[in-house]
């Protein structure tokens, strides 16, 4: 095996830049438009609501990966107001971009240790890990407000997100479940796959690459994009060089 010299190589030329930031921002906004546009069409009877069970997993995962990449490219002040609000309406208890950015940086600094803000997802077995991933938005919210000052900006953001969530429930009525169940399940499964499965190997904690069969890579890439495929399969390389673009991550590990 060739020796990994990632600590000494200069990766600056491979860093994501402004073009990537604009592209990932556009992806998040398109995912919002498609997801809530489809739900609106379902509510007025223009298309079956059950189709959200097919499209929501794809849109949620693409949104999650684009948000993750933006965390390494843009501060809260550098993203648009909609992205800063982070309004994927999963729960009435929700944080915004600034808080999740802080949590994600904490994960990179203290990965898979008790100081990792996401460590609660790793502490037990797979069933516990999945349940923690499924309830991660509420747990992140409660852990944040218990451990950090609650300033005016956070309060305003929380009230706006609560209003959006409540408005969605009020407008959709019982049909809300056609939106919420597939979106929430997709979020939980994706979070479990992208966090627990990449940071646990039996009783060991760390960060690990994964290998997929060629057909799995093709399907994954078609559904969620090549960036998400490479960022997932080479997550260990991402932790070595968080700003390197996904297409270069296979080379980081060499």
């Amino acid at each position: 095996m060739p020796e990994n010299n990632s600590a000494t190589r200069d990766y600056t030329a491979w860093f994501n830049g402004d073009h990537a930031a604009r592209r990932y921002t556009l992806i998040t906004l398109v995912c919002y438009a498609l997801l809530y546009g489809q739900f609106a069409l379902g509510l007025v009877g223009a298309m079956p609501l059950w189709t959200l069970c097919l499209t929501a997993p794809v849109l949620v995962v693409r949104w999650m990966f684009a948000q993750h990449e933006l965390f390494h490219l843009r501060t809260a002040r550098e993203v648009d107001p909609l992205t800063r609000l982070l309004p994927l309406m999963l729960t009435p208890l929700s944080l915004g971009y600034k808080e999740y950015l802080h949590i994600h940086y904490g994960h990179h600094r203290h990965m898979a240790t008790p100081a990792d803000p996401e460590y609660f997802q790793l502490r037990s077995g797979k069933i516990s890990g999945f349940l923690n991933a499924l309830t991660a938005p509420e747990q992140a919210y409660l852990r944040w407000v218990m451990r950090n000052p609650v300033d005016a900006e956070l309060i305003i953001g929380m009230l706006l997100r609560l209003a959006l969530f409540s408005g969605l429930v009020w407008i959709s009525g019982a049909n809300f479940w056609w939106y919420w169940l597939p979106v929430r399940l997709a979020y939980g499964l994706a979070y479990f796959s992208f966090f627990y499965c990449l940071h646990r190997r039996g009783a060991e904690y760390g960060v690990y690459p994964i290998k997929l069969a060629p057909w799995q890579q093709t399907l994954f890439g078609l559904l969620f994009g090549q960036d998400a495929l490479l960022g997932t399969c080479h997550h260990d390389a991402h932790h070595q060089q968080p700003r390197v673009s996904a297409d270069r991550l296979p080379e980081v590990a060499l």
Side-chain angles (χ1 to χ4, degrees), residues 72-112:
H72 294 287
L73 294 170
R74 291 291 183 263
T75 67
R77 297 301 178 192
E78 294 173 329
V79 297
D80 62 274
L82 189 60
T83 301
R84 187 160 61 246
L85 191 61
L86 209 71
L88 185 63
M89 289 172 270
L90 295 169
T91 172
L93 305 176
S94 181
L95 298 171
Y97 186 94
K98 182 179 74 173
E99 293 78 33
Y100 275 112
L101 177 63
H102 187 276
I103 290 170
H104 190 65
Y105 279 12
H107 165 62
H108 271 267
R109 284 193 299 269
H110 308 290
M111 180 195 66

Side-chain angles (χ1 to χ4, degrees), residues 20-245:
R22 289 191 294 270
R23 182 165 65 89
Y24 289 125
T25 299
L26 179 61
I27 290 172
T28 65
L29 298 177
V30 169
C31 286
Y32 289 145
L34 292 176
L35 179 62
Y36 295 108
Q38 182 180 352
F39 188 40
L41 290 173
L43 291 177
V44 300
M47 65 187 305
L49 282 165
W50 62 262
T51 57
L52 280 165
C53 298
L54 303 177
T55 57
V58 175
L59 294 173
V60 168
V61 172
R62 284 182 175 265
W63 173 83
M64 290 176 71
F65 185 80
Q67 285 289 311
H68 168 268
E69 294 302 292
L70 276 177
F71 286 153
H72 294 287
L73 294 170
R74 291 291 183 263
T75 67
R77 297 301 178 192
E78 294 173 329
V79 297
D80 62 274
L82 189 60
T83 301
R84 187 160 61 246
L85 191 61
L86 209 71
L88 185 63
M89 289 172 270
L90 295 169
T91 172
L93 305 176
S94 181
L95 298 171
Y97 186 94
K98 182 179 74 173
E99 293 78 33
Y100 275 112
L101 177 63
H102 187 276
I103 290 170
H104 190 65
Y105 279 12
H107 165 62
H108 271 267
R109 284 193 299 269
H110 308 290
M111 180 195 66
T113 68
D116 185 342
E118 307 258 36
Y119 187 71
F120 68 92
Q121 296 189 56
L122 297 174
R123 290 178 300 186
S124 301
K126 292 181 179 178
I127 294 177
S128 176
F130 172 68
L131 293 176
N132 280 321
L134 197 62
T135 58
E138 287 84 5
Q139 293 202 53
Y141 173 90
L142 294 173
R143 292 169 190 275
W144 183 273
V145 298
M146 288 190 297
R147 299 175 181 177
N148 299 278
V150 178
D151 56 20
E153 182 181 356
L154 178 57
I155 292 173
I156 292 171
M158 290 190 299
L159 290 175
L160 286 172
R161 288 184 286 273
L162 175 61
L164 286 170
F165 185 87
S166 301
L168 188 67
V169 174
W170 179 75
I171 290 171
S172 56
N175 287 320
F176 173 76
W177 299 106
W178 283 109
Y179 157 81
W180 191 81
L181 287 175
V183 167
R184 191 60 186 257
L185 185 59
Y187 183 92
L189 286 170
Y191 217 151
F192 175 74
S193 300
F194 294 160
F195 195 83
Y196 187 98
C197 295
L198 297 178
H199 292 284
R200 279 288 299 267
R201 286 296 182 271
E204 296 183 359
Y205 299 74
V207 59
Y208 308 95
I210 64 169
K211 295 182 179 180
L212 299 176
W215 71 268
Q216 293 173 317
Q217 294 183 38
T218 300
L219 181 60
F220 194 112
L222 287 173
L223 290 175
F224 309 123
Q226 286 298 310
D227 283 0
L229 170 65
L230 295 172
T232 302
C233 291
H234 301 282
H235 197 64
D236 57 331
H238 167 68
H239 270 270
Q240 294 173 29
Q241 295 291 334
R243 293 189 60 192
V244 167
S245 61

